[in-house]
Amino acid sequence: MAWAAALAGCSPHLILDFSASINPLGPPPSAIAAIQAHLGDLRHYPDPSYADLRRAIAAFHHLSPDWILPGNGAAELLTWAARDLATLDTVRLLTPAFGDYLRALRAFGANVEKIPLAVDRLTVARLTMDGALEQAIPMPLSPRPHSGWLLNSPHNPTGTLLSRETIRALLDESPLVVLDEAFMDFLPPEAQSQTSLLAWVEQYPNLVIVRSLTKFYSLPGLRLGYAIAHPDRLQRWQQWRDPWSVNSLAAAAAIAALTDTAFQQRTWSWLPPARQQLFDGLAALPGLHPLPGAANYLLVQTDRSATDLQTHLLQQHQILIRHCTSFPELGDRFFRVAVRTKAENQRLLEALANAVKAG
C-alpha cells in the first residue's frame, strides 16, 4: 500500500484496494469487542495448547479438537505441510499457484512438478460458477505412489472449484494431499457441504486441509489460520514450531467470529450479487475477459498491459488492482480484483471504462 500510495500521490488510506481479497464487510464487531475485552491478557503468555481456540474451531466443524491445529496464518501451516511434502519423491502443484506454495516447498528442498492449467479466454466458456476446474486440467491426473499434491479450492487465482471426485482419486493413491481451502468460507453452507473435503478428513489420514480465518472475517493483520488433519500429524507439526505462534488477541477474535452467525449470513448474502455485478460490468468492457469464479475475487484477461492498467488506475483514480506478473504462467495480460461493495465495484468499473476509453 505504501508503494501504491507513492505512485498515486496520496495517503495509503485514500487508496481503494481491490488487490487483496479481503471481506469488505468486516472485521465483525464481535471480533473487535473480543479483542478489547482481552487486552488484559497481553500480560500473560498464551496457552500453548490453545485449548479454547481448538475447541471453538472443532465445534464449528463438528470435529474433535485433536484434529485441529491453529497457526500464525495459513502461511505457517503451509510451511509445515511443505516440510512433510518435501519428504516425498515429488510434489505436484497446479499452476498458476499462490506464490507462497513455492516459497514453502523450496525452503525444504522439495522436488516440485508443475501441472499447468489452461487459463485463457478460450477456456472461459468451459469454466462455470459451480466449478469445473477439472475441465481445464490436463487429464487424466495420474496418481503416483510416491508423489504428494498441494492443491487449493477455490483455486487462486482463477476462483474456480476443484471437484471432490478429482481429489478422491489422488487420495486413494498418493501418500499426502494438502488442500488449501482458504477461501472456502465464502461459499454458503450448502455449497461448502458439496465442495469442501472436511467430511473426508477422518476417513483419509493422508489428507490435510488448511483454512484461513483472516480473509472471510477481514482480520489479515492478526494472522490466524488452522489445519485439520490426523492428530498424529498435527502433534508432529506442534513439535516442529515455536510454542506460541498465535497471539492472545487473535485467538479471542477467532473464537468470537466463529460464533457470529449474523456476520456470516450477511457475507453470504452480499457476495453473489456483488460478484455478479462486477463480473457483468467487466465483461461489458472492450478488451476485458473475466473468468467466472466461486470466491470473492475474479481473474480477468486483458488485451492490454495489466501493469500499465494498474498504473493508470492508481494515478488517475487512486484504485489498486493486482496485476498477475507474479504468476509466471499468466504474465502481463491478466489482473485479479477482489469483490467489494456494490458502490466500490461501480467505482472500479467506471475507472476501468475511463482507462479503456483512454487507450
Side-chain angles (χ1 to χ4, degrees):
M1 291 300 291
W3 165 84
L7 189 60
C10 67
S11 164
H13 300 292
L14 296 178
I15 299 289
L16 180 55
D17 185 13
F18 280 85
S19 70
S21 302
I22 305 298
N23 189 342
L25 308 183
S30 59
I32 300 302
I35 291 171
Q36 293 171 335
H38 285 81
L39 288 174
D41 294 347
L42 293 178
R43 70 190 69 182
H44 306 294
Y45 284 98
D47 169 16
S49 70
Y50 298 100
D52 291 342
L53 177 56
R54 287 170 52 238
R55 278 194 293 266
I57 298 171
F60 187 73
H61 292 302
H62 309 290
L63 291 167
S64 166
D66 292 342
W67 291 75
I68 307 295
L69 182 67
N72 190 249
E76 184 211 351
L77 300 160
L78 288 166
T79 295
W80 308 130
R83 180 170 174 175
D84 261 352
L85 285 165
T87 64
L88 304 175
D89 291 350
T90 307
V91 182
R92 308 187 84 186
L93 182 67
L94 297 180
T95 57
F98 177 41
D100 204 51
Y101 296 162
L102 281 174
R103 186 274 310 167
L105 291 168
R106 287 170 176 165
F108 297 104
N111 179 28
V112 178
E113 179 185 357
K114 297 181 180 181
I115 310 295
L117 301 177
V119 182
D120 55 56
R121 71 197 212 185
L122 298 177
T123 334
V124 170
R126 302 187 356 237
L127 296 171
T128 70
M129 296 298 284
D130 294 329
L133 181 55
E134 65 272 17
Q135 295 181 7
I137 300 174
M139 297 298 284
L141 285 182
S142 55
R144 295 182 183 176
H146 302 292
S147 293
W149 286 86
L150 178 50
L151 308 168
N152 58 355
S153 184
H155 179 257
N156 181 11
T158 66
T160 50
L161 296 162
L162 191 61
S163 78
R164 292 200 292 184
E165 292 310 312
T166 296
I167 304 175
R168 187 194 292 273
L170 307 179
L171 285 167
D172 288 338
E173 298 292 339
S174 299
L176 180 57
V177 176
V178 177
L179 179 63
D180 180 359
E181 291 189 347
F183 292 96
M184 186 63 71
D185 285 350
F186 286 96
L187 276 67
E190 59 274 15
Q192 289 190 46
S193 67
Q194 298 171 9
T195 307
S196 171
L197 264 64
L198 279 169
W200 294 4
V201 74
E202 293 176 299
Q203 179 184 352
Y204 289 97
N206 58 331
L207 172 62
V208 172
I209 296 176
V210 176
R211 288 274 188 121
S212 170
L213 283 166
T214 58
K215 297 171 176 62
F216 186 87
Y217 296 104
S218 193
L219 297 166
L222 282 183
R223 310 306 309 127
L224 187 63
Y226 57 94
I228 305 171
H230 192 279
D232 290 347
R233 186 183 304 278
L234 298 183
Q235 288 173 13
R236 184 168 68 251
W237 290 12
Q238 178 69 36
Q239 293 169 356
W240 289 344
R241 70 179 188 169
D242 295 336
W244 298 289
S245 60
V246 178
N247 71 72
S248 299
L249 299 185
I255 292 170
L258 286 168
T259 58
D260 194 335
T261 55
F263 179 83
Q264 294 158 8
Q265 189 57 58
R266 184 179 167 215
T267 298
W268 295 325
S269 298
W270 147 76
L271 179 56
R275 182 176 57 216
Q276 192 64 50
Q277 171 216 14
L278 183 56
F279 179 89
D280 292 343
L282 290 166
L285 293 174
L288 300 185
H289 315 280
L291 275 70
N296 63 323
Y297 52 86
L298 294 171
L299 181 67
V300 185
Q301 188 173 14
T302 171
D303 292 349
R304 61 179 292 183
S305 164
T307 53
D308 288 350
L309 188 59
Q310 181 192 64
T311 300
H312 175 92
L313 291 175
L314 276 171
Q315 293 180 336
Q316 301 300 319
H317 303 279
Q318 300 176 340
I319 292 175
L320 175 61
I321 63 173
R322 164 78 183 273
H323 67 66
C324 291
T325 57
S326 61
F327 299 97
E329 300 80 9
L330 297 181
D332 196 31
R333 286 296 185 268
F334 284 87
F335 65 89
R336 194 189 67 191
V337 288
V339 181
R340 297 190 60 89
T341 67
K342 287 188 174 183
E344 290 168 332
N345 291 343
Q346 187 59 38
R347 180 177 160 188
L348 171 66
L349 292 171
E350 290 172 1
L352 283 169
N354 176 273
V356 169
K357 182 178 180 181

